[in-house]
Amino acid sequence: MQCKQFKKCGACRFQLDEYESQLAYKQNRIDNLLSKFGKVEKIIPMENPFNYRNKVQCAFYYDFKRKKCVSGVYQSTSKKIIPIDYCALDDKKADEIILSIRKLADEFRIPPYDIRTKSGFLRHILIRKGFKSGEIMVVIVTASPVFPSKSNFVKALLKKHGEITTVVQNINTTDTNLFLGEQSKILYGKGYIEDILCSCTFRISPASFYQVNPVQTEILYKTAIDYAALSGTEAVFDAYCGTGTIGIIASKSAKQVLGVELNKNAVKDAVINAKKNKCENIFFIEADAAQLINELAKEKEHFDVVFMDPPRAGASRKFLLSLLKLKPQKIIYISCNPKTLARDLETLTEKEYKAEIIQSVDMFPFTEHIETVVKLIKK
Ligand code: SAH
């Protein structure tokens, strides 16, 4: 099977019939970048590498010739919207809901927003689905707060898709193609969904970071927790903790966990998630990870294990140097970018640490992205 929008959309690097060769490409890339640091295991493939995305988003434009609202995705290299009815990576139900919304927009005469003329109303749709819970959130991103006939619109949408558990309106008044605005209003349901990962429950709000491939995320987190080999007595630090996922799972087999995260809303979700999972031995601090770890090292605080899961840019030099001062027995580095991972491993393994095992997990089949876990131990 080939995707017709392959080159235009730009999200995928490999065609849909190329799973084996892309795994070989990814393996080769991590071997080249990382084998000098330690043993590189074979990448863990996805059993069924299709329809894995539990977060699906689209933008709209009006096709004046066909007199129809069209949905699609922003081309990765431009602001152009590439029409898409079905994407082989998206959750199927999410794509169906988008097609229904597109039809409803025409029926309700809701004009799509045009970024060039700054006119129109309907900007984007974001759908998030709980893999295990089955809960579905639809976020309707609009250019202004006043949503004409919103109750009837939501009613019509729920009539077509009774499986939707919550609908949120997000208002994005910016003139950029930033996806979400600052303000949200709940139109139906509780305004968020929940999902279960590694037997813990997590809240997913419209803007919170949550891995997009739940099947492989569970494998990734289990690998990371396994590498930590916690016995119940350890002090654990979870750097770049997002909504607290890794720390909360680890807290079940550790003495105490401290999570640090820069994003205020993520920290709020992390605190709620900890309560929901009855974890009383985990604490979160809203701060720059480098700043906090530097202070902890200065105060000679002791941590046995540090999980670190930085964004694509990797960790800052200040973070790495402070981590070396903190001297945990183990560092479990979870990375979404092998290039910055290699750069950071250079610093960490220069004297103090040894990379014992390097394991990639194919979290984003058909795209070029590679997720990797590295277990480092103090020499
Ligand atoms: N560990 C989480 C989130 C990883 S994504 C999970 O698996 O779900 C990386 C996170 O790092 C994001 O939540 C981002 O907000 C946060 N972040 C980025 N820069 C940061 C910094 N300087 N200090 C602390 N957190 C930061």
Side-chain angles (χ1 to χ4, degrees):
M1 186 178 43
Q2 300 256 317
C3 173
K4 283 187 210 133
Q5 303 291 28
F6 177 59
K7 284 237 165 74
K8 285 189 200 147
C9 154
C12 287
R13 190 194 162 107
F14 304 90
Q15 267 291 10
L16 299 174
D17 53 1
E18 292 175 343
Y19 195 51
E20 285 309 315
S21 57
Q22 71 178 272
L23 287 173
Y25 164 88
K26 289 182 180 182
Q27 187 70 47
N28 190 33
R29 184 158 160 75
I30 46 176
D31 283 346
N32 284 342
L33 280 166
L34 305 173
S35 61
K36 65 173 164 179
F37 299 108
K39 185 167 187 291
V40 179
E41 296 289 316
K42 244 182 123 194
I43 186 168
I44 301 175
M46 187 168 189
E47 214 174 285
N48 170 14
F50 299 100
N51 306 104
Y52 61 81
R53 287 191 62 97
N54 62 359
K55 175 185 176 187
V56 173
Q57 40 195 39
C58 74
F60 297 92
Y61 68 88
Y62 195 73
D63 183 336
F64 285 93
K65 264 198 212 140
R66 290 156 63 215
K67 296 198 171 51
K68 269 169 97 158
C69 173
V70 179
S71 59
V73 297
Y74 287 115
Q75 191 171 36
S76 53
T77 48
S78 72
K79 281 187 178 176
K80 220 176 130 193
I81 298 166
I82 306 299
I84 289 199
D85 290 351
Y86 168 77
C87 165
L89 310 193
D90 290 348
D91 178 81
K92 282 186 186 157
K93 184 53 78 185
D95 276 359
E96 280 170 27
I97 293 172
I98 287 174
L99 291 186
S100 299
I101 291 174
R102 196 164 89 178
K103 274 198 201 134
L104 286 175
D106 285 333
E107 280 167 37
F108 280 77
R109 296 181 192 287
I110 297 175
Y113 180 74
D114 185 334
I115 199 160
R116 290 160 307 175
T117 58
K118 299 186 179 39
S119 62
F121 180 71
L122 180 61
R123 292 191 74 152
H124 308 129
I125 293 290
L126 163 67
I127 296 178
R128 305 188 82 163
K129 185 174 159 193
F131 174 66
K132 295 231 171 92
S133 68
E135 294 181 351
I136 297 178
M137 168 165 62
V138 175
V139 183
I140 306 171
V141 186
T142 63
S144 65
V146 185
F147 189 163
S149 54
K150 73 172 171 229
S151 309
N152 285 337
F153 186 89
V154 172
K155 243 189 234 161
L157 179 62
L158 292 172
K159 202 172 158 204
K160 285 193 178 187
H161 296 282
E163 61 277 18
I164 294 171
T165 53
T166 187
V167 181
V168 175
Q169 179 190 357
N170 174 274
I171 300 119
N172 181 352
T173 53
T174 67
D175 55 8
T176 65
N177 60 352
L178 209 76
F179 211 82
L180 294 177
E182 290 279 319
Q183 202 194 335
S184 284
K185 284 189 211 171
I186 299 174
L187 302 184
Y188 171 76
K190 54 190 180 183
Y192 60 87
I193 56 166
E194 286 179 351
D195 201 16
I196 299 163
L197 259 185
C198 300
S199 314
C200 294
T201 305
F202 296 103
R203 171 194 284 230
I204 309 167
S205 307
S208 43
F209 177 88
Y210 190 74
Q211 291 284 5
V212 297
N213 182 336
V215 173
Q216 296 299 86
T217 299
E218 210 157 47
I219 296 176
L220 177 82
Y221 288 169
K222 275 188 185 146
T223 306
I225 305 273
D226 255 18
Y227 287 175
L230 299 169
S231 65
T233 58
E234 294 86 355
V236 172
F237 189 78
D238 181 10
Y240 309 91
C241 70
T243 54
T245 38
I246 297 170
I248 286 171
I249 298 165
S251 74
K252 304 279 181 194
S253 35
K255 188 170 173 216
Q256 198 164 306
V257 182
L258 178 64
V260 62
E261 163 62 47
L262 200 54
N263 181 302
K264 185 169 73 197
N265 293 320
V267 175
K268 270 190 197 153
D269 279 350
V271 171
I272 292 168
N273 285 334
K275 257 200 200 136
K276 199 177 292 276
N277 291 289
K278 302 192 170 55
C279 301
E280 282 165 7
N281 58 343
I282 185 162
F283 305 91
F284 297 99
I285 296 181
E286 179 194 327
D288 168 45
Q291 187 66 34
L292 182 66
I293 208 161
N294 189 34
E295 280 163 28
L296 293 171
K298 265 195 206 153
E299 284 159 25
K300 302 213 173 341
E301 290 286 346
H302 172 77
F303 286 91
D304 301 285
V305 179
V306 170
F307 289 97
M308 55 183 286
D309 185 7
R312 292 188 58 72
S316 63
R317 181 110 190 117
K318 179 174 172 186
F319 178 94
L320 297 171
L321 296 181
S322 308
L323 181 57
L324 290 174
K325 271 196 256 159
L326 195 71
K327 298 190 180 67
Q329 195 56 36
K330 287 179 201 150
I331 300 169
I332 313 296
Y333 192 142
I334 299 143
S335 152
C336 55
N337 183 351
K339 213 169 155 188
T340 53
L341 173 62
R343 180 201 66 200
D344 294 351
L345 287 180
E346 207 71 70
T347 307
L348 294 174
T349 59
E350 199 183 312
K351 284 196 208 104
E352 288 92 337
Y353 287 87
K354 181 172 142 249
E356 208 178 64
I357 190 158
I358 301 168
Q359 175 73 67
S360 294
V361 179
D362 196 21
M363 297 267 287
F364 315 102
F366 303 101
T367 76
E368 63 183 337
H369 302 294
I370 309 175
E371 192 86 12
T372 307
V373 190
V374 183
K375 174 183 179 183
L376 294 133
I377 48 167
K378 210 160 89 192
K379 281 186 199 162

